[in-house]
Amino acid sequence: MQYEGTPVIQSSERFRLWQRMLFTVLACTGTTLLATPLLDYLDLANIVMLFLLTVLLIAVSLGRGAAVLAAVLSVLLFDIFFVPPRFSLAVSNIQYLITFAVMLATALITGQLAAGLKQKAHEARIREQRTQALYEVARQLAGTLALEQVIEFARQFVRVQLDAEAVILLRDDHGLLATTAADTHACRIEPHLAQMALNGGQPVRNGEIAGSGYASHYLPLQASMRVRGVLALAFTANASELPPENLALLEALASLIAIAVERLHYVDVAHATQLNMVSERLRSSILSALSHDLRTPLTALVGLADSLSLIKPPLPAPALETAQAMHEQAARLASLVGNLLDMARLNAGNVTLRREWQPLEEVIGASIKLLGGALDAHPVRVALPAELPLLEFDAVLLERVFCNLLENAAKYSPEGSTIEISAQQTGDFIEVRVCDHGQGFPVRCNEDLFNMFVRGQTDSGIAGTGLGLAICRAIVEAHGGEIGAENRPDGGACVRFTLPRGVPPVLEEETP
Amino acid sequence: MSSNDPKVLLIEDEKQIRRFVRMAVEEEGCQVVEAETVARGLIEAGLCKPDLLVLDLGLPDGNGIDLIRDLRGWSDVPVLILSARSQENDKIDALDAGADDYLTKPFSVGELRARVRALLRRRIRNGESASPIIEFGAVSIDLSRRVVSRAGEAVHLTPIEYRLLSALLSHPGKVLTQRSLLRDVWGPSYVESSHYLRVYVGHLRQKLEDDPTQPKYFLTETGVGYRFQP
């Protein structure tokens, strides 16, 4: 779309100064020539009227300066050619001096008034035209779908209305400005000034570099949320001082651009969010379909192996043993599948935590209860400080952490030895430790332990896949904590992890 | 098998799972009626008036939760849910809709039999006249006099602690969701303030459990709610 290019040039400026003066002199001479033959028929007072009419017409058509010249010239011509004695500046009757004075005053005043009115009308027309143009650009900006369009509309507007070149600099994620492509050739930018305008949120102007091809005016694009960028302007004419109405126009334009840029930004954000949601949904539906398809046969396998013991009459002992072994293997497979699916879900990107404020001891108790028989040979001692605050975590996931750690501890420590769980505050974190009395971790692989498929003792003959600690790390890190392993000086392995303390919600006291 | 045996309706679309669940439930001396879909399940529930419903949440023609809502319109038969571990929200929805307990797949026959036994026992007990005195471990609670004692000594409970205790006691063995407990004890405006519930359950454990860190009676169903296990 193109603007209807109506360059704004004042009509009185259509002519140069000397041309206007010439026209004035010609007009006054013409009036004299016209009035001379009428001298016999008309009173001098009426000839004065003809001169006044001339001054008025000149004021209307040629402006203020010409009107002044016409007034003076008219009085002189009237004196020389019409007032007796004619063809001299001398005056026979002193009364004519009053005529001259009144004539001059009237001519000057009417000239001023007429020229002033004309000027006002002209200004009003320009204002209206600009308002119209501003409406037009607002309408266009409101309908844009791309940043390039916004920039193009803004530049056209500036070129037509202000005879200037515009560059729009947009803020990037780090608060710095970047030119949009294909824009740089319009005029050169002083980056320092642009940054000042962006940071200060105020227009910045440097008159000294105006006209040198550098942009001299920098206006911040202030939108409702933040300053979105800077509008830089280079005036073709050497106009270091902008008239106030132009400045107001520019500010209006800057906020229109800012709103358009902000709107486009939120369109982008909404679009990205939607894409994200779609892919998230796809991922989770694939995972849950996979989970269902893997679990269903495993559930049947575990249950069917179990149900062999219910058959009447009872199966012979070796068959029952086989059934028991099948049950165990199927259960192991199920737990492996569970771990793999958990890992897939945790690795799939944004883990959505169902965080709630709760006491740590509750999830520890639930984990011990869940493991049940697996901990029969290992008494668990829980030693938590009495003043431990509520923590914000996803109970289901943290239960996985404790289960995995307790299971590991039970697997790698001799029967009858205790497993100890303790916690303490360290700064903004709560540090939890799960320790056993086994052999401890092999010294060399402390960091690797938390990677997937890494096992401390590869040839130990103890079943495992090396996923448990990797899952623990993923969960702890999703909570904003850290996990690490160490050996105790007196033997035994320790896994410690931290959870952020945060600010627990206030519990209203019970009023008895 | 006599007609007095309790009837169990099993709604599950996977044939092999139905097979071993049926064997396990029959071992408890029950008659088993099977259904594969939500629609068929509702019809069977109306026809055979079961004493217990075992329900898989993911059925081919609809959601098991909707079936529970339908069922609760006209029946209070106990419902045992079979669900996968990663579906905490489904479990909560099913329990809020009126299910009584759940089993996480894969489960062993032993667990299944224990749950079935407990639910059937509760159903029978519901018919008896309820005693105002409840006893577990060393704790004795007289609901008519609002007196709680442990090993013969009176235990002081605050009004909210007592309300929470009686909410838990009123459904022994049943999993109560956080939301339902918060609503019943604190009121509807507290359903999102789960930390109240956690802290007060902690108080009850301190006062009534032998080892509050490893409770035996007031059990946590992580991510779902609580259960009073007498």
Side-chain angles (χ1 to χ4, degrees), chain A residues 150-290:
Chain A
V150 173
I151 292 165
E152 194 44 46
F153 285 139
R155 288 176 60 186
Q156 274 181 17
F157 178 86
V158 170
R159 203 174 297 143
V160 173
Q161 296 299 323
L162 297 162
D163 196 18
E165 282 300 329
V167 172
I168 292 175
L169 303 149
L170 293 178
R171 171 198 199 116
D172 63 11
D173 295 338
H174 311 290
L176 298 171
L177 289 167
T179 32
T180 41
D183 237 11
T184 35
H185 57 80
C187 62
R188 276 176 287 174
I189 302 295
E190 184 59 65
H192 177 65
L193 295 179
Q195 200 67 46
M196 263 168 66
L198 180 77
N199 297 344
Q202 294 290 330
V204 173
R205 185 174 63 78
N206 185 345
E208 285 170 23
I209 57 171
S212 60
Y214 272 100
S216 56
H217 288 70
Y218 298 85
L219 284 97
L221 301 176
Q222 176 76 56
S224 51
M225 297 303 288
R226 66 200 287 199
V227 181
R228 295 271 159 204
V230 172
L231 170 67
L233 291 159
F235 290 90
T236 340
N238 193 346
S240 63
E241 203 62 54
L242 267 185
E245 70 265 18
N246 281 3
L247 198 62
L249 185 73
L250 276 178
E251 278 172 1
L253 177 68
S255 43
L256 284 176
I257 296 172
I259 291 165
V261 170
E262 185 162 78
R263 185 174 58 80
L264 289 178
H265 169 74
Y266 282 119
V267 168
D268 279 354
V269 168
H271 190 64
T273 314
Q274 201 177 8
L275 267 183
N276 221 347
M277 264 167 57
V278 169
S279 71
E280 191 70 30
R281 206 175 300 147
L282 184 69
R283 209 157 38 200
S284 91
S285 70
I286 289 174
L287 270 175
S288 64
L290 194 65

Side-chain angles (χ1 to χ4, degrees), chain A residues 306 312 356 362 399 510, chain B residues 27 109 158 160 198 222 226:
Chain A
D306 247 5
K312 306 265 167 47
E356 285 178 2
E362 182 164 65
E399 187 181 74
E510 195 178 337
Chain B
E27 196 66 18
V109 167
T158 68
I160 288 183
R198 317 243 192 212
T222 306
Y226 293 95

Side-chain angles (χ1 to χ4, degrees), chain B residues 87-100:
Chain B
Q87 302 173 323
E88 256 70 31
N89 283 330
D90 287 355
K91 287 177 203 164
I92 294 171
D93 288 347
L95 291 165
D96 276 337
D100 294 77

Side-chain angles (χ1 to χ4, degrees), chain B residues 11-56:
Chain B
I11 309 175
E12 159 72 64
D13 58 327
E14 195 62 33
K15 187 171 169 233
Q16 298 304 329
I17 296 181
R18 277 208 310 274
R19 205 169 110 99
F20 82 79
V21 171
R22 178 187 199 109
M23 284 175 77
V25 174
E26 279 177 351
E27 196 66 18
E28 290 301 314
C30 304
Q31 291 180 45
V32 178
V33 181
E34 291 180 14
E36 286 181 41
T37 60
V38 170
R40 191 69 217 157
L42 276 172
I43 293 170
E44 290 291 350
L47 283 178
C48 74
K49 306 263 185 316
D51 297 286
L52 172 66
L53 213 131
V54 180
L55 172 68
D56 180 30

